[in-house]
Amino acid sequence: MAGPPADPSHSPTQAPAQAAQAGQQHPSWRRVVLKLSGGLFAGREPLGISPDVVQHLAAEILAAVSNGIQVAAVVGGGNMFRGAALAERGIDRSRADYMGMLSTVINCLALQDTLEKLGVDTRVQTAITMGQVAEPYIPRRAIRHLEKGRVVIFGAGLGAPFFSTDTCAAQRALEIGADAVLKGTKVDGVYDSDPRKNPDAKRFETLGYSEYLARGLKVMDTTAVSLCMDNGLPIVVFALMGEGNVVRAIRGEKVGTLICRRDP
Ligand code: UDP
C-alpha cells in the first residue's frame, strides 16, 4: 500500500551547500519528530512528573512552532514503567510492556495540558485506542494537524510490546514524512563512553549509523538507529534542558551529536 503522498512543504528549506557555507551541519528542517524520554519528565523526582520540566519542554516546542516548524512529539514512559524492568521482577513481559505504553500516555496528557496553556494547539494520538483522552493514531490526520500548525503528541509507542519509544519515534518520523528525529536527553550528545563515569569520554559531533551500531552505543536503541539507517533519516541527540536547543538542532547548529549518512 502506498504511504502518504510526497509533501513538498516538509522538504528542507535551504540547499546543503548554502547550509555548509553558513556553518550549519544540515539545512534547516521543516518537520521533525521530537523524542522526549520519560526520564526527562521526572526531573529531580525519582518518579512521576515535574511540572517545571514539562513547562520547559513545552516552551522549547513553542519556540520551534513559532519559527514555523512542524513538530510532532513521541513521549516515553521511563519515569513510570519500563517493561524490561518490570519483567525482571516477575511480571509477564508483554503485559509489562503494555503498562509501559500506558505510562507514556500520562506524560502525553501532561505535555498537552502545558502546551495548551501556552496557547499551542495540540492533538494527542495514541497507538492503543482510548477515545476519551486521545485520537487514535491516524498518520494522514497527524499530517493535517501539523500542516495546520498543531503539535501532535504520539502516545502508547507503537502499540506493540518488545519495542521502545525510540523505535516509535523513528517509525512515526518515516510515516509522517519528517526530516529528522530529535532525541532530547539529559546528556549533551553521544560519547564514546559514559561521561558520568569517565571524565575523558569523547563526544562525537557527527557519527555514521554503522559506526554508532558497531560501537554498541546505548543512547538510542539499535532497532531505532537501524530503521533510520535503512531510510537515511538523520538523528540529533542533544541536551533538551539547554534553552533554545530544539530550534538550534532544527536549524543545523552544532548542538549535540548528528547521526547520519557520512559523506562517501
Ligand atoms: N513500549 C512498548 N512498545 C512500544 C513503546 C514502548 O512496549 O512501542 C513500552 C516498553 O515497556 C518501554 C515502555 O513502554 O520500556 C516505556 O517506553 P520507553 O522505555 O521507550 O520510554 P523512555 O525510555 O523514552 O522513557
Side-chain angles (χ1 to χ4, degrees), residues 35 37-39 76-78 81-83 97 100-101 157-165:
K35 164 64 211 293
S37 301
F81 297 112
R82 282 210 175 88
D97 277 338
M101 286 182 257
L158 290 165
F162 300 99
F163 288 103
S164 69
T165 51

Side-chain angles (χ1 to χ4, degrees), residues 35-40 75-79 81-85 93-94 96-104 107 156-168 183 221:
K35 164 64 211 293
L36 302 170
S37 301
L40 285 168
V75 176
N79 52 326
F81 297 112
R82 282 210 175 88
R93 174 63 195 261
S94 299
D97 277 338
Y98 282 112
M99 291 170 71
M101 286 182 257
L102 294 178
S103 70
T104 71
N107 288 333
L158 290 165
F162 300 99
F163 288 103
S164 69
T165 51
D166 281 357
T167 302
C168 174
K183 161 118 177 161
D221 71 66

